[in-house]
């Protein structure tokens, strides 16, 4: 695997980072969050004059494109350009662009919530609070300064191919993946590419210890990049079991009739939140605000849950039948601030263990 061409530390130096603040519970509130913004005819007209919005995201491309199409259908004349790659690459790209004074992105979504700490610290986010966020989102899922909020949530899960593994033989825990019978049969994503896996690796190393990864690395694991990749490898039958991957991608595969199944580890599944934010120097500021408001609307949130398999914080969104209710899933605790501080160490230790 090709290593990132620029580190998070390099980006911080290039962009002149300021003092740290928290993720969704900042210890240093910069200013009161701005009033909630209602979508008005004036905002829609201004957005249509701009005619487009540029969305950088780590959401799996088919899901992001469906969100974009729904927005374009609701607001004809405004095109959404989706730029999709892994969360760590999204972060690097924006860092490189801003270091070169290139302002190309309007709205961002990342599966690594720690990125928003950095962007906020660097002063490049626009305070903007959609009406639905103000009305319905709990404090732990919105920045106190109004810079960002949780667009999507999910867990990182174990999974298996039901044609290759019988339910009674399937792993039920992370410890089970260390059994000899899984040697050469596991696929896993990488924290240097995926924000989901960066966050999951932090939570698992904290709760299970790095010794777990040392043992897992001896299982002849197939290493891939994105957290969307392991579910796809399972679906193709290229590996019997995945050690990590997006819950929502497994939901999508199951909805298609693919022989895959989710395992919620007995130790707990890493919790992942994917915030959205608007950039202060967005080239299409009105379209950016309109798109941000749309993303947090019940309409877009329900679409993301039904079609994208994502979990929503919006209380008006109904969970799709057949899926384990999010409240019943045992979760590890997320800590974006700790991930931001330890990201380079996590990448280095992981790469040394897995040789990639």
């Amino acid at each position: 695997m090709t290593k990132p061409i620029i580190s998070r530390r390099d980006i911080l130096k290039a962009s002149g980072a300021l003092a740290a603040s928290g993720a969704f519970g900042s210890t240093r509130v910069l200013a009161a969050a701005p009033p909630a913004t209602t979508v008005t005819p004036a905002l829609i007209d201004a957005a249509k004059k701009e005619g487009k919005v540029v969305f950088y995201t780590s959401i799996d491309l088919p899901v992001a494109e469906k969100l974009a199409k729904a927005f374009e259908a609701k607001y004809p004349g405004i095109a959404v350009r989706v730029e999709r790659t892994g969360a760590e690459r999204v972060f690097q790209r924006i860092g490189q662009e801003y270091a070169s004074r290139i302002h190309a992105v309007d709205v961002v979504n990342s599966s690594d919530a720690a990125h928003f700490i950095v962007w906020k610290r660097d002063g490049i986010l626009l305070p903007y609070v959609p009406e639905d966020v103000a009305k319905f989102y709990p404090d732990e899922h919105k920045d106190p300064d109004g810079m960002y909020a949780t667009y999507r949530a999910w867990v990182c899960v174990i999974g298996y191919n039901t044609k290759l593994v019988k339910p009674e033989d399937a792993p039920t825990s992370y410890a089970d993946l260390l059994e000899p019978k899984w040697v050469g049969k596991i696929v896993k994503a990488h924290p240097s590419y995926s924000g989901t896996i960066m966050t999951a690796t932090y939570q698992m190393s904290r709760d299970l210890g790095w010794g777990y990864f040392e043992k897992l690395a001896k299982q002849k694991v197939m290493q891939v990049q994105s957290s969307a990749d392991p579910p796809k490898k399972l679906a193709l039958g290229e590996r019997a079991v995945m050690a990590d991957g997006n819950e929502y991608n497994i939901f999508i595969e199951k909805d298609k009739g693919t022989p895959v199944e989710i395992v919620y580890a007995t130790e707990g599944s890493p919790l992942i939140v994917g915030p959205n934010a608007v950039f202060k120097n967005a080239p299409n500021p009105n379209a950016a605000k309109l798109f941000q408001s749309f993303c947090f609307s019940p309409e877009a949130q329900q679409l993301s849950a039904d079609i994208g398999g994502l979990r929503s914080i919006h209380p008006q969104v109904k969970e799709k039948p057949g899926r384990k209710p999010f409240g019943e899933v045992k979760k590890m605790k997320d800590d974006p601030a700790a991930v931001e501080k330890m990201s380079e160490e996590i990448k280095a230790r992981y790469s040394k263990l897995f040789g990639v």
Side-chain angles (χ1 to χ4, degrees):
M1 173 179 295
T2 302
K3 293 184 178 180
I5 60 176
I6 184 169
S7 72
R8 188 183 302 236
R9 188 174 294 109
D10 292 332
I11 294 170
L12 293 181
K13 289 178 180 177
S15 56
L18 303 175
S21 59
F24 290 92
S26 175
T27 56
R28 183 176 65 87
V29 178
L30 303 177
T37 300
T38 303
V39 173
T40 62
L43 178 61
I44 296 171
D45 288 343
K48 286 186 175 181
K49 288 179 181 178
E50 293 168 351
K52 67 178 179 179
V53 60
V54 180
F55 183 41
Y56 286 12
T57 182
S58 60
I59 302 172
D60 199 26
L61 185 58
V63 180
E65 288 181 335
K66 287 171 183 173
L67 176 69
K69 294 298 182 186
F71 176 82
E72 291 171 347
K74 184 167 185 176
Y75 300 107
I78 309 173
V80 181
R81 194 178 88 206
V82 175
E83 297 283 348
R84 193 275 165 192
T85 189
E88 301 309 310
R89 301 287 172 84
V90 169
F91 181 78
Q92 292 157 17
R93 177 175 178 178
I94 291 172
Q96 290 167 336
E97 288 178 349
Y98 267 70
S100 301
R101 298 184 180 180
I102 296 171
H103 303 140
V105 58
D106 290 308
V107 179
V108 68
N109 174 274
S110 174
S111 53
D112 187 342
H115 294 164
F116 294 82
I117 296 175
V118 177
W119 290 324
K120 175 181 177 180
R121 188 166 67 202
D122 288 352
I124 61 176
L125 299 181
L126 178 73
Y128 181 77
V129 182
E131 186 175 22
D132 281 279
V133 170
K135 284 184 177 180
F136 300 113
Y137 278 58
D139 289 344
E140 61 266 29
H141 286 286
K142 58 186 177 184
D143 176 60
D145 298 308
M147 302 288 187
Y148 50 89
T150 299
Y151 162 70
R152 55 182 175 136
W154 66 104
V155 285
C156 189
V157 296
I158 297 172
Y160 65 96
N161 183 301
T162 58
K163 287 188 176 180
L164 301 176
V165 180
K166 296 178 181 179
E168 60 268 26
D169 296 329
T172 61
S173 66
Y174 290 112
D176 287 350
L177 296 178
L178 305 180
E179 294 178 1
K181 67 179 180 179
W182 301 123
V183 173
K185 298 180 179 180
I186 299 173
V187 60
K188 190 179 183 310
H190 200 291
S192 289
Y193 182 89
S194 167
T196 292
I197 305 305
M198 169 64 75
T199 299
T201 302
Y202 165 74
Q203 293 179 29
M204 292 172 65
S205 65
R206 177 196 63 200
D207 294 1
L208 307 180
W210 276 102
Y212 168 76
F213 288 105
E214 292 175 9
K215 296 173 184 176
L216 184 64
K218 298 175 182 178
Q219 293 289 75
K220 297 181 180 179
V221 173
M222 173 192 278
Q223 185 69 65
V224 293
Q225 292 187 332
S226 172
S227 54
D229 291 340
K232 295 171 184 177
K233 295 296 183 183
L234 281 194
L236 294 170
E238 293 185 22
R239 282 295 185 272
V241 174
M242 69 179 201
D244 54 27
N246 292 327
E247 175 194 45
Y248 70 86
N249 283 109
I250 293 287
F251 285 151
I252 291 171
E253 292 294 340
K254 284 173 64 69
D255 287 346
K256 293 192 296 187
T258 306
V260 296
E261 191 54 76
I262 289 175
V263 173
Y264 297 103
T266 55
E267 298 96 335
S269 299
L271 171 64
I272 317 295
V273 295
N276 260 35
V278 175
F279 281 90
K280 186 182 295 183
N281 291 315
N284 306 289
N286 295 294
K289 293 175 182 177
L290 186 62
F291 184 73
Q292 179 79 334
S293 288
F294 175 76
C295 285
F296 289 96
S297 68
E299 174 187 354
Q301 288 287 304
Q302 191 68 60
L303 179 149
S304 297
D306 291 346
I307 298 176
L310 294 162
R311 307 290 193 156
S312 176
I313 305 303
H314 202 303
Q316 294 180 358
V317 173
K318 297 179 180 178
E319 300 221 43
K320 194 169 183 178
R323 295 174 183 170
K324 187 169 185 175
F326 204 41
E328 296 180 10
V329 176
K330 182 180 178 181
K331 308 175 192 70
M332 294 182 178
K333 185 179 178 181
D334 66 329
D335 189 347
V339 173
E340 193 275 323
K341 292 177 182 177
M342 298 181 64
S343 62
E344 294 304 319
E345 178 187 343
I346 290 169
K347 291 177 185 178
R349 292 189 70 167
Y350 184 95
S351 295
K352 184 177 180 180
L353 287 175
F354 287 85
V356 288

